[in-house]
Amino acid sequence: MVGRKISWWDPEIGDREYELVRDVLARNFPNEGRVARQLEERASALIGSKHAVTSTNGTSALYMALKAVGVGVGDEVIVPDLTFIATANAVDMCGAKPVLVDVEPDSMNMGVESFTNAITEKTKAVIPVHVSGRSADIEAICDAAGEKGIHVIEDAAEAFMSKKKGRCLGTFGVCGCYSFSPNKIVTSGQGGLVVTDDEEVDVRLRMLKDQGRPKRGTGGDDIHESIGYNFKFTDIQAAVAVGQLEYLEERMKRLRRNHELYVEHLSGLDGVRLYEFDLGSGELPLWTDIYSDRRDELDEYLMRLSIDCRRLWHPLHMQEPYRMPSENFPNSLDCSRNSIWLPSAYNLSDDDVLRVCESIRRFISGQ
Ligand SMILES: Cc1ncc(COP(=O)(O)O)c(C=O)c1O
């Protein structure tokens, strides 16, 4: 049954964003200013952090967080082998070395044991990634890292408003980094955010994003106290993100509903395994991911029915810049080859999700 196209993800821009962007343009202040500040205040209130700092994108957010805790040349930073490559690239931007570790087969996230096994005297930080909004083993990783004086920077790019035991992911480590790219629950086109409770880190983040200036100036007779760069946001983008926040509750509800329908209709089906979310703990399934040892066939079958999915990333150890032998990464290799993200957008209807489930059931039963 080929029906209307079901996208894996589609962002949505509403009337409110147009209104807010028009206001910014009418005020003739398209640079980072009071709307970006408003976004930071709203985000830190929602997330429950003392500070929030906007940035150009999630990659620069990670880079700034690493730099703010002092990661530099000669340091090692432990990252999961199965993640979007930005996690490792942000480490490389600091001149440090990303050390790849295998992931847990049930969550596709870094577990505490693989983290502790990879620690050396050069380890300065660790970046647990919350893939699809599912929590990595964050409490155990923070405890183990704390004992060794290792900084925890959470890659919460996919976990905005996702929680563990009621506490937002991104607030367990010294910094949490989010992305506002188009396939996230809130988008500003491109955009990023770092949250922290640490006053000094907040000051360093603000200097890093603005040419080492502790205070915004004129661009003329300013005092630059340290090396910094330009990762400023713009009020145009911030206006889009602030507008998006108005639909946040509704979108969160819909994402949970999508996932619940998938669980209801796909659980127990031979040949398909859903990666679990702990909804009771507050985890927010941004994207529903499944494991199938006929993943490629399933993807092609669904594509013919106008149902778009997204295959998992290749493990980092198989990407040219980070190439290594596969023997230490059996789980990430297996998950990468056999997992796929099902249509997960917040604008899907029940009927859309049910059509995906029905199509998967037909595929499995060979009809
Ligand atoms: C896990 C993860 N880390 C980092 C990023 C980088 O974020 P951005 O694309 O905003 O730079 C993404 C992007 O989507 C991501 O999924």
Side-chain angles (χ1 to χ4, degrees), residues 82 104-108 132 134 259 263 273-277 287-292 312 331 334-336 338-340:
L82 193 58
E104 298 290 304
D106 294 343
S107 65
M108 292 194 277
S132 306
R134 181 182 299 106
H259 186 71
V263 170
R273 172 171 61 82
L274 279 146
Y275 290 93
E276 285 177 17
F277 280 92
W287 309 322
T288 287
D289 27 26
I290 61 168
Y291 180 100
S292 164
L312 251 283
N331 297 335
D334 185 47
C335 292
S336 160
N338 296 303
S339 304
I340 193 161

Side-chain angles (χ1 to χ4, degrees), residues 266-274 290-292 298 360 363-364:
L266 296 180
S267 291
L269 201 59
D270 270 351
V272 164
R273 172 171 61 82
L274 279 146
I290 61 168
Y291 180 100
S292 164
L298 173 63
I360 294 174
F363 168 79
I364 298 287

Side-chain angles (χ1 to χ4, degrees), residues 325-353:
S326 285
E327 65 213 27
N328 293 328
F329 308 102
N331 297 335
S332 68
L333 197 60
D334 185 47
C335 292
S336 160
R337 286 185 173 156
N338 296 303
S339 304
I340 193 161
W341 282 293
L342 296 178
S344 299
Y346 48 70
N347 28 35
L348 296 178
S349 65
D350 279 10
D351 283 349
D352 292 331
V353 179

Side-chain angles (χ1 to χ4, degrees), residues 62 83-84 86-87 127-131 153-159 175-178:
L62 283 165
T83 176
F84 185 53
T87 317
I127 313 183
V129 180
H130 306 297
V131 173
I153 306 292
E154 292 177 71
D155 182 339
E158 301 165 14
C175 292
C177 303
Y178 303 90

